[in-house]
């Protein structure tokens, strides 16, 4: 089949599985697919377009001739392989945080700045999952009314950590229900029937890694390094999809109705409207879907400078794999 020689590094992981699915669903043109994982998974069979592909152990020689590469195998793998692949002329869509702060590497949400990568080769950074859904919802508000302040609390599913964390939630939930002790290996605190505001190490400023990523990446997208962004990022016992309670203070006066009107027809966003329970999405509802669901848009300031909203998206799709494939579509001139 005509197309690009394509590789997925981290193909056996939670995001990797979704990348394989989305490449098929969107008919991304692939002439040859090479799937990589750690040595542990060498030979493991993965399905693609009705055929079985064996996972390969990662090595530079196996990556020769690859034109499009998706990397989702942690920062260390990205740091080692992305520059080599960029050097050989490939498009490298990197899902780790390794290059997101590098101003020479585009950080892209295609609905917002996809034009920046049309025809591009080399490394492009896929943003943090929580940042993607947050920025899709608030960037239009910033563009029209100007953001003065952004406060967000996130409710993040365990699939953001990866496959092992999903197993830990499953095992701890079973143990809890059966009255057995909960065994921890991935998280520092029990996740089964629990939650904790701790995603990555804490810094001296009191923020943990995830909170810092959201602050920095959001400021980069909104092109305002001094924007007041306050984040509390929480891991919750949900397998898939992240939720966010967002409050913005705008410079210019606005209203919930005007913000809803601005968001209603934007690509990538599904506005949940109506007075009943359907005016908000849940993680279960968002799972497997592509849109960022924005609901409960409401006024929070009597003088019209404050809006609250509830934002939910599938972190493995729009928060990771879908955004990555959309970046590749732009870069390879397919849209
Ligand atoms: P493996 O399944 O063999 O461990 P997740 O985010 O769900 O934990 O998945 C991480 C992905 O990254 C998996 O596909 C994992 O492979 C892969 N991976 C982890 N470390 C390496 C490595 N050093 N080289 C190649 N792939 C790796």
């Amino acid at each position: 089949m005509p197309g690009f020689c394509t590789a997925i590094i981290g193909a056996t992981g939670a995001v990797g599985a979704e990348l394989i699915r989305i490449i098929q669903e969107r008919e991304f043109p692939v002439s040859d697919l090479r799937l990589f994982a750690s040595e542990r998974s060498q030979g493991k069979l993965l399905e693609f377009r009705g055929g079985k592909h064996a996972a390969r152990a990662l090595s530079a020689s196996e990556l020769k001739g690859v034109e499009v590469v998706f990397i989702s195998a942690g920062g260390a793998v990205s740091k080692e392989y992305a520059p080599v692949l960029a050097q050989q002329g490939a498009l490298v869509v990197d899902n780790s945080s390794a290059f997101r702060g590098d101003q020479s590497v585009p950080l892209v949400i295609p609905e917002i700045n996809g034009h920046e990568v049309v025809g591009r080769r080399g490394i492009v950074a896929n943003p943090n999952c929580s940042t993607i859904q947050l920025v899709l919802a608030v960037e239009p508000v910033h563009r029209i009314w100007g953001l003065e302040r952004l406060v967000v609390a996130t409710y993040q599913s365990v699939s953001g950590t990866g496959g092992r964390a999903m197993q830990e939630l499953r095992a701890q939930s079973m143990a809890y229900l059966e009255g057995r002790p909960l065994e921890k290996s991935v998280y520092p605190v029990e996740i089964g029937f629990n939650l904790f505001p701790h995603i990555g190490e804490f810094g001296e400023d009191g923020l943990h890694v995830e909170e810092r990523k959201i602050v920095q990446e959001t400021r980069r997208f909104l092109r305002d390094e001094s924007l007041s962004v306050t984040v509390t990022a929480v891991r919750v016992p949900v397998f898939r999809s992240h939720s966010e309670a967002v409050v913005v203070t705008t410079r210019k006066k606005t209203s919930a109705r005007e913000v809803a009107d601005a968001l209603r027809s934007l690509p990538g966003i599904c506005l949940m409207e109506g007075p009943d329970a359907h005016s908000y999405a849940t993680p279960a509802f968002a799972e497997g879907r592509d849109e960022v669901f924005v609901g409960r848009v409401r006024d929070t300031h009597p003088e019209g400078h404050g809006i609250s909203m509830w934002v939910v998206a599938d972190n493995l799709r729009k928060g990771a794999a879908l955004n990555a494939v959309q970046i590749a579509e732009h870069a390879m001139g397919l849209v």
Side-chain angles (χ1 to χ4, degrees):
M1 182 174 171
F4 308 107
C5 180
T6 303
I8 299 175
I9 300 177
T12 51
V15 173
E18 211 55 40
L19 279 164
I20 296 173
R21 197 169 295 134
I22 290 173
I23 285 172
Q24 292 174 91
E25 281 173 16
R26 295 175 74 87
E27 300 184 348
F28 184 81
V30 172
S31 58
D32 175 23
L33 185 68
R34 301 186 197 169
L35 302 175
F36 295 92
S38 75
E39 278 177 15
R40 298 182 281 282
S41 305
Q42 198 172 354
K44 186 173 177 187
L45 293 178
L46 302 166
E47 267 195 45
F48 178 70
R49 290 191 185 143
K52 301 257 193 242
H53 292 243
R56 311 174 191 204
L58 188 53
S59 78
S61 60
E62 295 258 22
L63 287 161
K64 289 231 164 67
V66 160
E67 297 168 280
V68 177
V69 190
F70 299 96
I71 311 185
S72 189
V77 170
S78 295
K79 279 186 193 146
E80 182 176 350
Y81 285 89
V84 178
L85 287 157
Q87 192 70 38
Q88 78 182 40
L91 169 72
V92 185
V93 186
D94 183 40
N95 200 48
S96 80
S97 58
F99 301 97
R100 289 182 193 146
D102 181 340
Q103 298 296 320
S104 68
V105 172
L107 181 69
V108 176
I109 300 172
E111 290 85 346
I112 291 174
N113 60 342
H115 57 274
E116 288 180 20
V117 289
V118 174
R120 179 150 185 131
R121 301 293 180 271
I123 307 170
V124 178
N126 207 31
N128 166 273
C129 44
S130 299
T131 308
I132 293 177
Q133 65 187 76
L134 175 65
V135 168
L136 260 177
V138 303
E139 191 273 346
V141 182
H142 181 56
R143 206 173 348 104
I144 302 170
W145 294 282
L147 287 198
E148 190 171 286
R149 184 164 164 71
L150 169 61
V151 181
V152 56
T154 72
Y155 306 76
Q156 301 187 208
S157 67
V158 297
S159 55
T161 313
R164 283 182 56 232
M166 295 170 83
Q167 281 165 17
E168 181 150 304
L169 172 57
R170 203 168 288 122
Q172 287 186 0
S173 301
M174 299 281 284
Y176 183 98
L177 291 172
E178 290 165 5
R180 289 184 282 113
L182 309 195
E183 283 174 23
K184 305 191 290 273
S185 69
V186 176
Y187 291 126
V189 181
E190 291 81 6
I191 186 65
F193 293 93
N194 199 16
L195 55 83
F196 43 85
H198 183 178
I199 305 179
E201 277 176 38
F202 283 99
E204 281 177 6
D205 55 3
L207 297 184
H208 58 67
V209 170
E210 182 79 358
E211 291 168 344
R212 193 165 311 104
K213 283 182 196 170
I214 297 171
V215 171
Q216 289 171 347
E217 294 177 31
T218 301
R219 285 180 175 157
R220 186 169 169 191
F221 272 110
L222 301 185
R223 295 168 192 274
D224 183 352
E225 286 306 314
S226 59
L227 179 68
S228 167
V229 182
T230 305
V231 184
T232 306
V234 182
R235 187 70 72 193
V236 296
V238 165
F239 283 102
R240 198 159 153 167
S241 301
H242 293 350
S243 308
E244 297 177 347
V246 181
V247 184
V248 294
T249 306
T250 56
R251 291 183 195 280
K252 289 189 214 152
K253 193 170 171 173
T254 187
S255 67
R257 183 185 293 263
E258 285 180 328
V259 168
D261 286 345
L263 295 177
R264 190 171 293 112
S265 56
L266 291 180
I269 289 182
C270 176
L271 185 69
M272 313 290 286
E273 294 183 275
D276 56 18
H278 298 282
S279 62
Y280 63 86
T282 63
F285 177 85
E287 180 169 335
R289 299 182 195 235
D290 288 347
E291 301 93 332
V292 169
F293 296 94
V294 180
R296 300 199 60 206
V297 179
R298 59 205 190 277
D299 292 299
T300 48
H301 192 283
E303 277 146 39
H305 290 272
I307 303 293
S308 293
M309 52 181 107
W310 176 248
V311 181
V312 185
D314 185 330
N315 58 300
L316 296 181
R317 287 183 76 91
K318 187 58 189 165
L322 172 62
N323 200 73
V325 174
Q326 288 173 315
I327 288 173
E329 289 169 349
H330 278 73
M332 305 315 279
L334 302 172
V335 285

PDB file of all heavy atoms in Angstrom, residues 9-14 37-38 40-41 58 72-73 77 161-163, ligand 1:
ATOM      1  N   ILE A   9       7.107   3.547  18.688  1.00  0.00           N
ATOM      2  CA  ILE A   9       8.000   3.112  19.764  1.00  0.00           C
ATOM      3  C   ILE A   9       7.197   3.190  21.062  1.00  0.00           C
ATOM      4  O   ILE A   9       6.737   4.270  21.452  1.00  0.00           O
ATOM      5  CB  ILE A   9       9.261   4.004  19.832  1.00  0.00           C
ATOM      6  CG1 ILE A   9      10.023   3.936  18.495  1.00  0.00           C
ATOM      7  CG2 ILE A   9      10.148   3.592  21.003  1.00  0.00           C
ATOM      8  CD1 ILE A   9      11.255   4.837  18.427  1.00  0.00           C
ATOM      9  N   GLY A  10       7.015   2.022  21.683  1.00  0.00           N
ATOM     10  CA  GLY A  10       6.104   1.933  22.843  1.00  0.00           C
ATOM     11  C   GLY A  10       4.771   1.350  22.401  1.00  0.00           C
ATOM     12  O   GLY A  10       3.726   1.661  22.956  1.00  0.00           O
ATOM     13  N   ALA A  11       4.834   0.491  21.386  1.00  0.00           N
ATOM     14  CA  ALA A  11       3.606  -0.010  20.746  1.00  0.00           C
ATOM     15  C   ALA A  11       2.776  -0.915  21.652  1.00  0.00           C
ATOM     16  O   ALA A  11       1.577  -1.068  21.429  1.00  0.00           O
ATOM     17  CB  ALA A  11       3.975  -0.766  19.464  1.00  0.00           C
ATOM     18  N   THR A  12       3.394  -1.514  22.668  1.00  0.00           N
ATOM     19  CA  THR A  12       2.641  -2.411  23.549  1.00  0.00           C
ATOM     20  C   THR A  12       2.022  -1.667  24.731  1.00  0.00           C
ATOM     21  O   THR A  12       1.352  -2.266  25.564  1.00  0.00           O
ATOM     22  CB  THR A  12       3.560  -3.523  24.099  1.00  0.00           C
ATOM     23  OG1 THR A  12       4.732  -2.884  24.654  1.00  0.00           O
ATOM     24  CG2 THR A  12       3.990  -4.491  23.022  1.00  0.00           C
ATOM     25  N   GLY A  13       2.241  -0.363  24.823  1.00  0.00           N
ATOM     26  CA  GLY A  13       1.736   0.413  25.955  1.00  0.00           C
ATOM     27  C   GLY A  13       0.320   0.908  25.731  1.00  0.00           C
ATOM     28  O   GLY A  13      -0.291   0.677  24.681  1.00  0.00           O
ATOM     29  N   ALA A  14      -0.193   1.621  26.739  1.00  0.00           N
ATOM     30  CA  ALA A  14      -1.581   2.114  26.686  1.00  0.00           C
ATOM     31  C   ALA A  14      -1.752   3.101  25.522  1.00  0.00           C
ATOM     32  O   ALA A  14      -2.731   3.019  24.763  1.00  0.00           O
ATOM     33  CB  ALA A  14      -1.926   2.782  28.018  1.00  0.00           C
ATOM     34  N   ALA A  37       8.975  -2.145  21.203  1.00  0.00           N
ATOM     35  CA  ALA A  37       8.710  -2.121  22.649  1.00  0.00           C
ATOM     36  C   ALA A  37      10.027  -2.473  23.337  1.00  0.00           C
ATOM     37  O   ALA A  37      11.085  -2.482  22.697  1.00  0.00           O
ATOM     38  CB  ALA A  37       7.608  -3.105  23.000  1.00  0.00           C
ATOM     39  N   SER A  38       9.965  -2.776  24.611  1.00  0.00           N
ATOM     40  CA  SER A  38      11.198  -3.157  25.296  1.00  0.00           C
ATOM     41  C   SER A  38      11.511  -4.611  24.939  1.00  0.00           C
ATOM     42  O   SER A  38      10.671  -5.315  24.367  1.00  0.00           O
ATOM     43  CB  SER A  38      11.044  -2.999  26.798  1.00  0.00           C
ATOM     44  OG  SER A  38      10.256  -4.038  27.300  1.00  0.00           O
ATOM     45  N   ARG A  40      11.473  -7.086  26.738  1.00  0.00           N
ATOM     46  CA  ARG A  40      10.499  -8.006  27.361  1.00  0.00           C
ATOM     47  C   ARG A  40       9.406  -8.428  26.385  1.00  0.00           C
ATOM     48  O   ARG A  40       8.881  -9.526  26.446  1.00  0.00           O
ATOM     49  CB  ARG A  40       9.745  -7.318  28.519  1.00  0.00           C
ATOM     50  CG  ARG A  40      10.502  -6.859  29.674  1.00  0.00           C
ATOM     51  CD  ARG A  40       9.545  -6.247  30.707  1.00  0.00           C
ATOM     52  NE  ARG A  40       9.129  -4.878  30.381  1.00  0.00           N
ATOM     53  CZ  ARG A  40       9.883  -3.809  30.573  1.00  0.00           C
ATOM     54  NH1 ARG A  40      11.091  -3.953  31.070  1.00  0.00           N
ATOM     55  NH2 ARG A  40       9.442  -2.599  30.269  1.00  0.00           N
ATOM     56  N   SER A  41       9.024  -7.507  25.498  1.00  0.00           N
ATOM     57  CA  SER A  41       7.869  -7.769  24.628  1.00  0.00           C
ATOM     58  C   SER A  41       8.256  -8.246  23.233  1.00  0.00           C
ATOM     59  O   SER A  41       7.389  -8.387  22.367  1.00  0.00           O
ATOM     60  CB  SER A  41       7.043  -6.490  24.472  1.00  0.00           C
ATOM     61  OG  SER A  41       6.677  -6.003  25.715  1.00  0.00           O
ATOM     62  N   LEU A  58      13.855  -2.376  20.540  1.00  0.00           N
ATOM     63  CA  LEU A  58      14.256  -1.108  19.957  1.00  0.00           C
ATOM     64  C   LEU A  58      15.754  -1.067  19.663  1.00  0.00           C
ATOM     65  O   LEU A  58      16.579  -1.387  20.508  1.00  0.00           O
ATOM     66  CB  LEU A  58      13.908  -0.008  20.960  1.00  0.00           C
ATOM     67  CG  LEU A  58      14.048   1.436  20.523  1.00  0.00           C
ATOM     68  CD1 LEU A  58      13.283   1.705  19.237  1.00  0.00           C
ATOM     69  CD2 LEU A  58      13.553   2.345  21.630  1.00  0.00           C
ATOM     70  N   SER A  72       6.223   6.848  22.358  1.00  0.00           N
ATOM     71  CA  SER A  72       5.501   6.924  23.629  1.00  0.00           C
ATOM     72  C   SER A  72       6.036   5.828  24.538  1.00  0.00           C
ATOM     73  O   SER A  72       5.350   4.840  24.824  1.00  0.00           O
ATOM     74  CB  SER A  72       3.993   6.775  23.392  1.00  0.00           C
ATOM     75  OG  SER A  72       3.316   7.049  24.594  1.00  0.00           O
ATOM     76  N   ALA A  73       7.279   5.991  24.943  1.00  0.00           N
ATOM     77  CA  ALA A  73       7.945   4.965  25.756  1.00  0.00           C
ATOM     78  C   ALA A  73       8.753   5.602  26.881  1.00  0.00           C
ATOM     79  O   ALA A  73       9.714   5.023  27.364  1.00  0.00           O
ATOM     80  CB  ALA A  73       8.845   4.116  24.856  1.00  0.00           C
ATOM     81  N   VAL A  77      13.793   7.182  26.535  1.00  0.00           N
ATOM     82  CA  VAL A  77      13.807   6.635  25.169  1.00  0.00           C
ATOM     83  C   VAL A  77      13.702   7.783  24.164  1.00  0.00           C
ATOM     84  O   VAL A  77      14.418   7.821  23.163  1.00  0.00           O
ATOM     85  CB  VAL A  77      12.647   5.618  24.978  1.00  0.00           C
ATOM     86  CG1 VAL A  77      12.499   5.223  23.522  1.00  0.00           C
ATOM     87  CG2 VAL A  77      12.864   4.388  25.856  1.00  0.00           C
ATOM     88  N   THR A 161      -0.732   7.153  33.480  1.00  0.00           N
ATOM     89  CA  THR A 161       0.546   6.611  33.963  1.00  0.00           C
ATOM     90  C   THR A 161       0.989   5.448  33.099  1.00  0.00           C
ATOM     91  O   THR A 161       2.187   5.226  32.926  1.00  0.00           O
ATOM     92  CB  THR A 161       0.410   6.147  35.431  1.00  0.00           C
ATOM     93  OG1 THR A 161      -0.253   7.154  36.178  1.00  0.00           O
ATOM     94  CG2 THR A 161       1.757   5.837  36.055  1.00  0.00           C
ATOM     95  N   GLY A 162       0.028   4.679  32.573  1.00  0.00           N
ATOM     96  CA  GLY A 162       0.380   3.559  31.700  1.00  0.00           C
ATOM     97  C   GLY A 162      -0.286   2.263  32.121  1.00  0.00           C
ATOM     98  O   GLY A 162      -1.058   2.207  33.085  1.00  0.00           O
ATOM     99  N   GLY A 163       0.041   1.230  31.362  1.00  0.00           N
ATOM    100  CA  GLY A 163      -0.602  -0.073  31.541  1.00  0.00           C
ATOM    101  C   GLY A 163      -0.429  -0.657  32.942  1.00  0.00           C
ATOM    102  O   GLY A 163      -1.363  -1.254  33.490  1.00  0.00           O
TER     103      GLY A 163
HETATM  104  P1  LIG B   1       6.984  -3.015  27.194  1.00  0.00           P
HETATM  105  O1  LIG B   1       5.514  -3.302  27.058  1.00  0.00           O
HETATM  106  O2  LIG B   1       7.819  -4.062  26.567  1.00  0.00           O
HETATM  107  O3  LIG B   1       7.388  -2.670  28.606  1.00  0.00           O
HETATM  108  P2  LIG B   1       2.906   2.269  29.207  1.00  0.00           P
HETATM  109  O4  LIG B   1       2.957   3.759  29.068  1.00  0.00           O
HETATM  110  O5  LIG B   1       1.537   1.703  29.014  1.00  0.00           O
HETATM  111  O6  LIG B   1       3.562   1.806  30.468  1.00  0.00           O
HETATM  112  O7  LIG B   1       3.794   1.687  28.002  1.00  0.00           O
HETATM  113  C1  LIG B   1       5.125   2.031  27.801  1.00  0.00           C
HETATM  114  C2  LIG B   1       5.576   1.500  26.460  1.00  0.00           C
HETATM  115  O8  LIG B   1       6.960   1.832  26.289  1.00  0.00           O
HETATM  116  C3  LIG B   1       5.500  -0.008  26.339  1.00  0.00           C
HETATM  117  O9  LIG B   1       5.245  -0.355  24.986  1.00  0.00           O
HETATM  118  C4  LIG B   1       6.900  -0.424  26.757  1.00  0.00           C
HETATM  119  O10 LIG B   1       7.280  -1.712  26.300  1.00  0.00           O
HETATM  120  C5  LIG B   1       7.705   0.633  26.056  1.00  0.00           C
HETATM  121  N1  LIG B   1       9.046   0.784  26.614  1.00  0.00           N
HETATM  122  C6  LIG B   1       9.394   1.041  27.891  1.00  0.00           C
HETATM  123  N2  LIG B   1      10.738   1.116  28.007  1.00  0.00           N
HETATM  124  C7  LIG B   1      11.254   0.893  26.772  1.00  0.00           C
HETATM  125  C8  LIG B   1      12.562   0.836  26.222  1.00  0.00           C
HETATM  126  N3  LIG B   1      13.642   1.026  26.990  1.00  0.00           N
HETATM  127  N4  LIG B   1      12.694   0.589  24.901  1.00  0.00           N
HETATM  128  C9  LIG B   1      11.612   0.400  24.125  1.00  0.00           C
HETATM  129  N5  LIG B   1      10.345   0.443  24.578  1.00  0.00           N
HETATM  130  C10 LIG B   1      10.161   0.684  25.880  1.00  0.00           C
END
